[in-house]
Amino acid sequence: GITGRGDLRERFLRLREAILGANEVRYGLLPQGDFSSLLDGVIEAALARTADILGIPRTDPSTDTINRIYAVRQVCWDRIFPEGAAPSPLEQSLRDLSAGEAWHASRHMELADFSWYFHNPPAEPLTLEAAVEYAQNLYDFANRSRGGAFSGRRNIPPGEVRIVAGEPLNLSDMLAPGGPGRKALIAEANAWLLGAFGKLR
């Protein structure tokens, strides 16, 4: 199964493979290749489905992927939020139908958009911060595969925020004539900041 006990990173990998597999079935793709190449196939299939629903030419796969995503997104938005009032009830009904089709098409576009960012595996070694972020990404991957959008991304705020005023760093004094050069100053300031943060831990 994809859940249960075991190494967290391995469980993450099984989950992403399971979600990818569901999309391969959805778009009728053959599961051949590594995760990144298969994900590219999902992106292409999702963009093709988006164009087909909108009734526009499919974008050229040899061109920049993210710009192609932005292009179809703009078509979707233009149809969902048309300018000006409809001249007649019939025209308004046609606009409503077009907006519904655009909303449907944008479900595929949202999956392509997320997938473009999701090629890298979980970090190694897996820190707590990286684990939380990757779990969020897996949730987003599943959510977009179910027709969700960026607005449905689950963000986990920190449990506690503390603001601690420390000793000020006077860069003006450090820039005084006869002081260190720019590179040496940056190194010195960074070392000072790192030491200051270390005192707060």
Side-chain angles (χ1 to χ4, degrees), residues 176-196:
R182 178 169 294 185
K183 288 185 178 180
L185 173 62
I186 292 173
E188 184 178 336
N190 283 336
W192 188 94
L193 290 169
L194 182 60

Side-chain angles (χ1 to χ4, degrees), residues 84-103:
S88 68
L90 174 59
E91 179 63 27
Q92 183 59 56
S93 296
L94 294 175
R95 284 189 180 188
D96 291 343
L97 290 171
S98 180
E101 291 172 345
W103 182 90

Side-chain angles (χ1 to χ4, degrees), residues 28-112:
L29 304 175
L30 296 176
Q32 297 177 350
D34 59 15
F35 179 84
S36 185
S37 61
L38 291 171
L39 192 61
D40 283 338
V42 168
I43 293 171
E44 292 303 323
L47 284 174
R49 189 71 58 86
T50 302
D52 291 347
I53 295 170
L54 294 172
I56 62 176
R58 294 184 178 184
T59 53
D60 184 354
S62 66
T63 57
D64 184 64
T65 301
I66 195 64
N67 286 333
R68 293 160 57 210
I69 292 172
Y70 289 154
V72 295
R73 172 181 286 163
Q74 189 63 56
V75 174
C76 290
W77 285 356
D78 288 345
R79 295 187 185 184
I80 294 173
F81 305 105
E83 294 184 0
S88 68
L90 174 59
E91 179 63 27
Q92 183 59 56
S93 296
L94 294 175
R95 284 189 180 188
D96 291 343
L97 290 171
S98 180
E101 291 172 345
W103 182 90
H104 179 203
S106 66
R107 300 310 89 195
H108 299 276
M109 178 275 298
E110 288 283 357
L111 174 61

